Amino acid sequence: MHVPDVSVVVIVYNDAERLPTAVQSVLDQTLRGVEVVIVDDCSKDRSYAVAQELEAAHPGRVRASRLPENSGGCGAPRNHGIRQATGTYVMFLDSDDVLERNACRNMLAAAERTGSDLVSGMCVRVHLDNRWGKTTEWYPWIYSHTRTLESITEYPDLLVYDTLSTNKCYRRSFLLEQGLEFPVGIHYEDLLFSAQAYVAARRITLIPNHVYFWNVVEKAQSKSISNRRHEIENFVHRMEIHRRVDELLAAEGHTAIRTAKDAKFLKHDLVLHLRDLPLLGDEYRREFARLANGYLAGIDPAAYESVNHLQAICAYLLGKEDWDNLLPAADAMTNKGRLSSPLAERDGRVYWCGAHLDDAEGRRILDVTEQGFHTAPLSSLILGNRLTSYEDDGRGTVTLSGAVVNPLGRIKEGTALKASLEFRARRQIGVRSFSFPAATVRHAGDTIEWTATADIGSTVRPLGIIDAVWDVRLKLTAGGDRITTRVSAGGVDLESAARLRVRPRLTRLVSDRFQPEITKKGNLSYVLTAEGAPAVRTQKLISSAMHGKAAGVVKRSLRRALRARRNLGSGEQKVKVYHEVFSKLPVKKGTVVFESHMGKQYSDSPRAIYEEMVRQGAPFEAIWSYAGGKPTGFPEGATLVRRWSWPYLRALAQAEYWVDNQGFPLALRKRPGTTYIQTWHGSALKRMGFHEPRTKAQGRPAQDRLQAAVDRFDHFLVRSEHDVRTLARGFRLRDEVLLRTGYPRNDALVEAHRAETDSGERVRGPLAAELGIDPDKRVLLYAPTFRAAADGTVEGFEFPFDVEEFADRLGDRFTLLVRTHYLNSVSLPPSVAGRVIDVSRHHDITPLLALADGLITDYSSVMFDYAVLDRPMLFFAYDYEKYATDIRGTYFDLKEKAPGPVVATADELMQAVSAFDEADAKYAEARRRFLTEFGEYDRGDAARRIVEKFFTRSGK
């Protein structure tokens, strides 16, 4: 008898309708040697009958069995499936999900090639009730490329984050030899089973392929077990599973993995339940605190170092059972960016609350100085706004009262206050909103209290049916600051609130009431519903008709119309219009589109070229792209277009020249009549383009897209033969594309160095006065490279040294300017004001380089530019080994060629700064060698040469 390559165990309970689709996804696998083992968990519907029908329809490929009684979970049916399976390998599939068509083939190939006991691929969550067809990859950074592990200790993140059992293929003999089974009678069985399998596996292979489609219905009437977080039993099970995993790791001596798992518990598992706390009662909270704190007592303290400030704050306040401060923190964690606490300031530091500051651990965890709440413009903060009372007249009028957080009393007593309450349709068909002025708005210590009465019945006119959900916002004006906040409903009982009468414009026969509702993020909203027999009957009739056969054609037509309307502004549609419409328009001679760092700045070499063109009086029409909201800092004499807007696309399509330093959108082809001058934005330390291993691992389609993007470059600026060997070859650029002019942005630095050499004086210029720099102090610029989290997300920059200690030890001699990468942000504590200055908001770094007496960096390409000035440089390479040996690698060893001290600790850094003059003299020759190798073409005339070559009549 032929042994199947893979047995797919499909478990089912009361899911007769979806079971055939799941099974068909197995039968359709491109690998033919696959059997289906259906295990019914004693369903009450036709699930087992459907399973038997599938078995009869596919003899030899499908087998069906049934448990004698319902087990209440996934563990027992999966264990039964393992025992029933005959394949060399085993996979698991839930009846409401499907396998990717090549899943079995790809996983079997990886297992056979590597001899692994376990192969894991990428799971994709498919949001079935999302009208945009949303999908999300499950921890994609884990599966960025193929890798084989000899032990889980080589990659603890796998055990910590990917705890699913369904996106994996297991060698069946491995499961049997190790006695691996799912726990029965307890939820979250995947967590324990996966941990046991990871620890026991002799070899594990990860593949970057999609293998499993996890179908998710966010608004399902019956919540899955893991989503019933309002049930305390759910949390009891979660805690028990975590304890068992901890015991397993302890028994195997995996201390490092335990610490990483503890961090994930704080960042994920605990957070899931904390988010619901503001909406749950006191009894639940007390029992939750008892269970959670018993477990938190055993958490490795080091785990708190890797969580964000709110996660640590919530865990700490939970331990103290300080509900008054915990619930606002939980609300802030649920609503990203919301500041729901009034804060407290002590000795120049800012804290989440004024409680627990006599505890050293409390002071450390509650310190939010680095978040910059005290320095950010008030209008940029998302202030918490808690509903304090809710009254209705039972007909159509509602009176709401609330309190908006006033952080550190920044809205001063006596500031003119005005507010209005806005009801806004969530699905915008045009702009649908109605506002009601607040009757009272007043200062109340840590908050601004307000009350507003809204006559909804006679004022709010929904269309009906298509704008069913309405959100509530308060718009507050405090002096010159305008603040918009959502209204948080936690703590106010809305169970007995009346459904308010409304008059929909389309028809009252379908809906005629506004029902107050608390969203899953805890905010107040209203849902359009029906009341009364006629309305309910009509709604049922319409619902029935909408699901009948006759409605099929109408619904499909409506969907097509809505999709066409929606797609009009989509990226796909814009690219289509760009190529099929705008690119057919004539090229406008003399038109130049400039862009710097994808529209985020008016800076760098594009700026230098633009300003040189203006100086020379070149005949051209300048168009600058900007990203985000209102542009600031861009030249008044240019036309501004928002990136990816229709005017932007048309400008690119008709431009005679493109000038940028990073890359215009990859999907946009350049026309033959357009010349693309790519100035680039820095020489390379890390490997780039096709030199990157991850680019090679992406496969041919991704490589072809990159090749098409760089093939658009007609000219590429280089500042040394190092750029030719690295950047040019990394992007596969032809030699005739290269312009050996140097960088236009560095012309100003070359001129500054010449002037300083000729006069013997350092002229700081107006920027020093603008920043308030003490003329008796030297200026150091700290400009680190871009930093991202492990999963690729961009977060605020965290100092790798104590900036307060730096200011205290060296602030009497030096002023430290901090300039983070444009994708990062930083916040300084109030205690360092005047001694440490954040200059990250300055678009152009060149004037900052010219101002600085010395540079502190790590691996930023700014080192190559600053070399032009022949001034001291310090390299704070605290994570050099990790940086230099990661997947990308470097073109050279920085430690060998650095034109200044390379230090690894904060203390070494401060010692090096203290010996500033000594380093200046010691590394003079190294700086000259560095400039010769990496900046040989920076001669101060790059912008002039480019303008004369391309943009003046004599050069054309």
Side-chain angles (χ1 to χ4, degrees):
M1 179 179 175
H2 176 68
V3 176
D5 292 313
V6 180
S7 295
V8 179
V9 177
V10 183
I11 64 170
V12 60
Y13 176 69
N14 288 350
D15 199 16
E17 185 178 346
R18 291 180 292 188
L19 176 61
T21 302
V23 170
Q24 194 62 46
S25 77
V26 184
L27 297 175
D28 289 342
Q29 288 292 299
T30 53
L31 178 71
R32 302 311 301 166
V34 180
E35 72 165 355
V36 184
V37 178
I38 306 174
V39 183
D40 175 57
D41 197 10
C42 199
S43 296
K44 297 176 182 178
D45 69 352
R46 291 192 69 254
S47 291
Y48 185 52
V50 171
Q52 290 177 310
E53 292 166 5
L54 289 166
E55 181 180 40
H58 303 280
R61 295 201 67 193
V62 178
R63 289 185 287 124
S65 60
R66 185 182 194 185
L67 297 187
E69 59 183 26
N70 179 250
S71 68
C74 301
R78 285 179 183 158
N79 292 339
H80 184 78
I82 294 172
R83 292 190 290 270
Q84 294 291 311
T86 62
T88 307
Y89 295 89
V90 177
M91 294 174 63
F92 301 106
L93 174 63
D94 292 345
S95 61
D96 53 348
D97 300 328
V98 294
L99 293 183
E100 194 276 335
R101 193 162 180 267
N102 299 293
C104 293
R105 177 183 295 279
N106 288 334
M107 300 181 94
L108 175 69
E112 296 291 89
R113 184 178 69 252
T114 62
S116 294
D117 291 325
L118 188 162
V119 176
S120 190
M122 195 184 302
C123 172
V124 179
R125 285 167 58 95
V126 180
H127 301 264
L128 296 179
D129 53 352
N130 180 273
R131 63 181 183 274
W132 313 117
K134 175 184 175 184
T135 62
T136 52
E137 294 178 333
W138 189 254
Y139 298 113
W141 47 274
I142 290 177
Y143 297 97
S144 60
H145 62 283
T146 300
R147 68 177 93 188
T148 297
L149 314 173
E150 301 298 326
S151 166
I152 190 61
T153 57
E154 295 179 20
Y155 195 46
D157 279 357
L158 182 60
L159 181 146
V160 171
Y161 290 96
D162 189 357
T163 56
L164 301 177
S165 64
T166 49
N167 60 333
K168 297 172 177 59
C169 181
Y170 310 84
R171 192 182 299 274
R172 187 166 65 91
S173 60
F174 159 68
L175 296 180
L176 298 176
E177 289 166 7
Q178 297 294 329
L180 292 181
E181 289 191 339
F182 290 86
V184 177
I186 187 169
H187 307 324
Y188 304 105
E189 59 282 306
D190 271 20
L191 273 72
L192 181 57
F193 181 83
S194 295
Q196 291 171 330
Y198 285 142
V199 169
R202 292 176 290 268
R203 185 172 292 164
I204 301 167
T205 294
L206 311 180
I207 61 175
N209 309 81
H210 292 168
V211 299
Y212 193 91
F213 294 114
W214 175 3
N215 291 326
V216 180
V217 180
E218 297 284 354
K219 299 173 184 176
Q221 291 184 350
S222 177
K223 292 290 186 182
S224 66
I225 291 168
S226 60
N227 283 327
R228 298 176 200 156
R229 292 188 292 272
H230 60 285
E231 300 173 6
I232 196 65
E233 191 68 17
N234 183 293
F235 192 60
V236 171
H237 285 218
R238 189 186 288 272
M239 291 294 90
E240 177 58 26
I241 286 292
H242 273 281
R243 288 190 180 91
R244 294 187 192 183
V245 174
D246 292 343
E247 290 170 2
L248 168 70
L249 297 177
E252 298 293 331
H254 293 321
T255 306
I257 298 179
R258 168 67 196 274
T259 301
K261 179 192 155 296
D262 284 349
K264 194 246 186 174
F265 175 81
L266 295 173
K267 292 192 288 187
H268 175 73
D269 301 78
L270 186 62
V271 165
L272 286 176
H273 292 267
L274 285 171
R275 285 173 173 169
D276 295 329
L277 282 186
L279 307 178
L280 299 170
D282 291 340
E283 184 178 348
Y284 179 97
R285 292 173 189 168
R286 284 193 296 270
E287 182 62 11
F288 174 79
R290 184 186 68 80
L291 293 167
N293 288 332
Y295 185 78
L296 288 171
I299 289 277
D300 184 346
Y304 285 89
E305 301 299 326
S306 62
V307 302
N308 70 36
H309 71 286
L310 274 174
Q311 291 161 353
I313 286 170
C314 284
Y316 176 81
L317 294 174
L318 177 62
K320 298 295 183 182
E321 296 191 41
D322 180 355
W323 303 109
D324 289 341
N325 289 306
L326 171 58
L327 295 181
D331 178 57
M333 191 164 52
T334 303
N335 295 275
K336 187 176 181 182
R338 179 178 289 177
L339 176 58
S340 55
S341 173
L343 307 177
E345 187 170 357
R346 302 285 190 279
D347 302 322
R349 306 296 294 175
V350 178
Y351 300 91
W352 180 257
C353 59
H356 317 295
L357 299 184
D358 55 346
D359 171 26
E361 184 74 354
R363 285 196 306 277
R364 183 181 68 81
I365 292 176
L366 297 171
D367 191 329
V368 293
T369 309
E370 306 302 330
Q371 305 308 312
F373 296 130
H374 56 294
T375 57
L378 198 60
S379 58
S380 71
L381 296 177
I382 305 172
L383 299 181
N385 183 4
R386 181 175 56 88
L387 189 65
T388 55
S389 73
Y390 182 100
E391 298 176 6
D392 61 67
D393 64 359
R395 296 184 298 276
T397 300
V398 62
T399 299
L400 308 181
S401 296
V404 179
V405 167
N406 183 10
L408 299 174
R410 290 181 60 183
I411 302 176
K412 304 297 183 184
E413 190 77 38
T415 300
L417 300 175
K418 187 170 66 173
S420 61
L421 199 62
E422 179 189 62
F423 292 73
R424 189 178 185 86
R426 187 174 297 175
R427 288 185 68 181
Q428 292 291 301
I429 311 298
V431 178
R432 304 285 298 156
S433 65
F434 299 88
S435 295
F436 303 88
T440 61
V441 191
R442 66 184 188 88
H443 288 82
D446 290 336
T447 63
I448 303 297
E449 294 183 348
W450 58 270
T451 298
T453 297
D455 183 1
I456 292 175
S458 61
T459 306
V460 177
R461 298 295 308 278
L463 293 172
I465 306 175
I466 57 177
D467 55 352
V469 182
W470 290 65
D471 296 315
V472 182
R473 292 174 169 82
L474 184 81
K475 293 193 170 183
L476 172 67
T477 301
D481 292 309
R482 290 177 173 80
I483 302 159
T484 300
T485 69
R486 287 293 302 273
V487 178
S488 174
V492 174
D493 181 17
L494 296 178
E495 291 293 327
S496 58
R499 295 197 287 180
L500 308 172
R501 294 178 182 175
V502 290
R503 296 181 298 154
R505 295 178 183 273
L506 295 180
T507 175
R508 295 187 218 175
L509 292 176
V510 178
S511 52
D512 60 355
R513 293 289 189 275
F514 253 174
Q515 172 72 52
E517 186 178 88
I518 300 176
T519 70
K520 61 182 180 180
K521 289 191 174 184
N523 299 314
L524 177 65
S525 66
Y526 285 84
V527 178
L528 203 57
T529 63
E531 186 168 284
V536 172
R537 276 198 304 271
T538 304
Q539 193 172 55
K540 286 183 177 179
L541 285 171
I542 290 178
S543 178
S544 176
M546 288 298 287
H547 290 89
K549 291 182 179 179
V553 175
V554 176
K555 288 166 68 176
R556 284 192 292 273
S557 298
L558 178 61
R559 279 196 294 268
R560 281 196 296 269
L562 290 174
R563 191 180 301 119
R565 181 181 184 276
R566 183 171 67 241
N567 287 345
L568 187 61
S570 69
E572 181 181 353
Q573 187 70 14
K574 284 184 173 180
V575 171
K576 186 176 181 180
V577 172
Y578 170 86
H579 289 121
E580 296 181 6
V581 180
F582 291 160
S583 292
K584 301 296 190 293
L585 299 173
V587 170
K588 295 172 66 176
K589 292 295 183 180
T591 301
V592 187
V593 177
F594 296 91
E595 186 170 285
S596 179
H597 294 303
M598 297 184 291
K600 292 181 174 64
Q601 298 177 352
Y602 170 60
S603 66
D604 212 76
S605 292
R607 172 178 178 168
I609 293 172
Y610 166 78
E611 292 180 350
E612 179 64 21
M613 292 169 73
V614 172
R615 272 192 295 271
Q616 292 197 29
F620 72 107
E621 178 189 351
I623 300 173
W624 271 91
S625 99
Y626 69 92
K630 184 178 179 180
T632 58
F634 285 85
E636 294 182 1
T639 300
L640 305 186
V641 292
R642 183 168 53 81
R643 203 171 197 263
W644 270 114
S645 66
W646 292 112
Y648 173 82
L649 297 174
R650 179 164 182 163
L652 284 177
Q654 293 192 269
E656 184 180 7
Y657 289 95
W658 291 358
V659 179
D660 94 310
N661 66 351
Q662 192 153 341
F664 288 109
L666 302 185
L668 305 181
R669 290 193 300 272
K670 181 184 69 68
R671 299 174 66 178
T674 300
T675 299
Y676 191 166
I677 303 173
Q678 172 58 256
T679 70
W680 205 239
H681 53 273
S683 298
L685 171 59
K686 297 206 81 172
R687 294 186 178 275
M688 301 292 292
F690 292 98
H691 288 167
E692 290 187 54
R694 72 182 69 186
T695 302
K696 298 173 183 177
Q698 285 178 337
R700 180 56 62 85
Q703 292 182 30
D704 288 346
R705 285 193 295 273
L706 175 59
Q707 188 67 63
V710 298
D711 283 347
R712 298 178 302 174
F713 303 161
D714 295 297
H715 305 283
F716 187 90
L717 274 56
V718 295
R719 54 195 304 263
S720 68
E721 288 305 305
H722 167 78
D723 288 357
V724 176
R725 295 188 299 270
T726 56
L727 289 170
R729 291 179 183 171
F731 290 134
R732 297 178 178 173
L733 300 176
R734 305 181 311 279
D735 190 71
E736 58 266 28
V737 171
L738 306 182
L739 289 180
R740 290 171 169 81
T741 59
Y743 283 170
R745 72 183 185 193
N746 289 342
D747 290 349
L749 300 181
V750 174
E751 180 56 35
H753 180 250
R754 284 176 181 160
E756 185 177 326
T757 302
D758 292 344
S759 67
E761 291 183 32
R762 173 78 50 81
V763 179
R764 286 186 167 176
L767 180 58
E770 177 187 329
L771 296 173
I773 293 175
D774 186 336
D776 295 327
K777 292 182 182 179
R778 291 187 175 180
V779 178
L780 297 178
L781 176 65
Y782 176 45
T785 192
F786 169 66
R787 299 283 174 173
D791 60 359
T793 57
V794 179
E795 298 180 345
F797 176 78
E798 294 186 7
F799 279 97
F801 59 89
D802 189 330
V803 69
E804 290 181 291
E805 182 184 358
F806 189 101
D808 291 341
R809 286 177 58 173
L810 301 165
D812 59 333
R813 297 169 52 199
F814 298 94
T815 297
L816 182 67
L817 307 181
V818 178
R819 214 289 189 153
T820 60
H821 188 277
Y822 70 91
L823 290 175
N824 290 131
S825 59
V826 69
S827 180
L828 298 173
S831 57
V832 303
R835 297 177 292 173
V836 183
I837 303 172
D838 178 17
V839 292
S840 302
R841 293 179 184 270
H842 284 250
H843 276 208
D844 205 339
I845 195 173
T846 301
L848 298 170
L849 295 175
L851 171 62
D853 298 301
L855 174 71
I856 303 173
T857 188
D858 42 16
Y859 322 107
S860 171
S861 64
V862 74
M863 69 176 82
F864 301 108
D865 304 299
Y866 196 74
V868 171
L869 292 164
D870 190 25
R871 298 177 192 169
M873 283 188 267
L874 305 175
F875 297 85
F876 185 28
Y878 57 92
D879 56 352
Y880 182 74
E881 298 306 321
K882 177 182 177 182
Y883 189 90
T885 60
D886 81 346
I887 188 171
R888 281 178 66 178
T890 59
Y891 285 116
F892 62 89
D893 187 340
L894 178 64
K895 289 185 176 180
E896 290 182 3
K897 298 195 175 186
V902 180
V903 298
T905 68
D907 192 56
E908 289 175 350
L909 171 66
M910 294 186 197
Q911 290 180 24
V913 173
S914 297
F916 185 79
D917 292 328
E918 180 182 330
D920 187 3
K922 180 178 178 181
Y923 285 90
E925 181 57 34
R927 290 199 301 273
R928 281 190 286 274
R929 289 197 304 269
F930 193 80
L931 179 60
T932 299
E933 181 172 358
F934 298 110
E936 59 187 299
Y937 300 133
D938 274 334
R939 303 183 184 116
D941 59 355
R944 178 181 59 78
R945 291 173 62 189
I946 290 168
V947 172
E948 290 176 353
K949 180 177 178 65
F950 296 105
F951 302 112
T952 62
R953 290 186 176 88
S954 60
K956 297 180 71 171

